[in-house]
Structure formats: structure tokens, C-alpha cells
Amino acid sequence: MTDIPARRYPKVAMVLHWLLAIGVIAQWRLAVAGENAASEAAGREIMGNHFSLGVVILLLALARLAWRLVQPNPPLASDLAAWERWLAKTTHTLFYVLLIVMPLAGWYAMSKYGNGVDVFGVFSLPALPVAPDPEGASEIFGLHAAAGVALLVLAGLHILGTLKHTLVDRDGNLFRMLPFGQPRA
């Protein structure tokens, strides 16, 4: 008898994980495209999509965190080294922090410009009740961009860990987050 269901993440967690992964990649590409747009108008339109997707990512991250509180993650493999356990927990904690703080910082910075955030024309987040401060908003966006780089580095570390477990350890760890394959007990 195998214990694969106990080792695999629930399907809700899988869907939220992969939607967040796709969203982060799309955000990165939108930010680069917005900065390199051919015109100011094109840049504004691209960044409008970046802001909208940021709100969606915030909602997905909050949903993933809520799900995790209700449905804890399956246990890590018992043969992981202490440093691997620590790195896994630290990486996941930092993901949650960045995926929640970054969109909030973007909303806060937009509010300092006196703007809310339109979310794909479906709904809008109003500007937060903060004093106008374009210089402060610019500084916040600078921190937001630095956090974006940190998020990409963290994602790279996450991918490298997955590759290590898949290609070197051959422990089936990748299949914990996929609805197919054999995670090791």
C-alpha cells in the first residue's frame, strides 16, 4: 500500500501554486515590456495590465495562504537534511511575504500618486487615504522593483531545488506538486 495521496499536495494547492507561478512570470515580462515600451502611452497600458495582474496575484496568494492554514502541506520527505528543511521553509515563507507585500506596496505607491488600481476593467481598488507624495511613490516603486528581483532569485532557487530533487536525488519531490507521477514516501 502506498501513501502517495498523503505525500502529494491537494489539487487546490496545486492549482494555486501553478497559477501563481504563471502570474509571477507574466508580471516579470510585463514589467520589462512596460519599461521598454515604444511610447509613454504604450508603457502606461502595459503597466496597467501589470497593476491588474498584481491584484490578481495578491488574491491568489491570500487564497493559497488561507488554504494552507486550513489544509496543511503534506510533510517533507523524512530523509531531507536539516539544511534542506530549513531552506524549503524559509523559501516558502519568503514567497508568501513577497507575493503579498509587493502588490500592497504597488497599490500604496499608486495611492501616493493619487490613483487607485483598475483591475482589468472589472473592478477598481480606490486610492488609499494617504497624502500625495510622488517622490515617495517613486521610492516605493524602486523598492517594489528590488523586491521583484528578489522574487525572481527566489523562484530560481526554488527551480534549482526542484531540479536537484528530480535529477540528482531522484526522489519524486516534483510530483508532490503535480497530479501525476510518483512522489516518494
Side-chain angles (χ1 to χ4, degrees), residues 4-181:
I4 289 174
R7 300 285 305 136
R8 184 165 280 153
Y9 281 83
K11 288 196 182 353
V12 170
M14 288 182 202
V15 168
L16 290 169
H17 171 273
W18 292 108
L19 287 174
L20 283 164
I22 292 165
V24 166
I25 293 167
Q27 279 295 70
W28 166 45
R29 300 311 306 149
L30 283 169
V32 170
E35 289 176 3
N36 298 309
S39 69
E40 190 174 321
R44 270 196 305 272
E45 183 177 342
I46 292 168
M47 292 310 291
N49 288 324
H50 178 81
F51 299 145
S52 292
L53 185 54
V55 173
V56 172
I57 286 174
L58 173 63
L59 296 174
L60 289 170
L62 291 171
R64 176 66 182 101
L65 182 58
W67 179 259
R68 185 172 181 166
L69 294 172
V70 172
Q71 178 72 42
N73 288 339
L76 295 171
S78 59
D79 60 347
L80 289 181
W83 69 268
E84 289 177 303
R85 290 177 173 283
W86 177 85
L87 190 57
K89 289 178 182 183
T90 301
T91 299
H92 286 101
T93 299
L94 290 172
F95 270 130
Y96 284 111
V97 169
L98 289 171
L99 291 171
I100 292 169
V101 170
M102 287 181 66
L104 292 175
W107 182 19
Y108 181 67
M110 287 300 290
S111 297
K112 286 191 146 308
Y113 281 122
N115 299 321
V117 178
D118 177 71
V119 182
F120 297 117
V122 177
F123 66 93
S124 293
L125 298 177
L128 296 168
V130 297
D133 181 9
E135 187 175 307
S138 181
E139 289 175 12
I140 293 165
F141 276 132
L143 292 171
H144 177 84
V149 171
L151 183 61
L152 291 175
V153 168
L154 196 62
L157 181 64
H158 186 62
I159 292 166
L160 286 174
T162 301
L163 290 173
K164 176 206 176 278
H165 284 283
T166 302
L167 303 174
V168 176
D169 300 341
R170 298 182 185 273
D171 62 10
N173 197 47
L174 170 65
F175 300 107
R176 289 166 35 100
M177 192 50 82
L178 294 171
F180 55 84

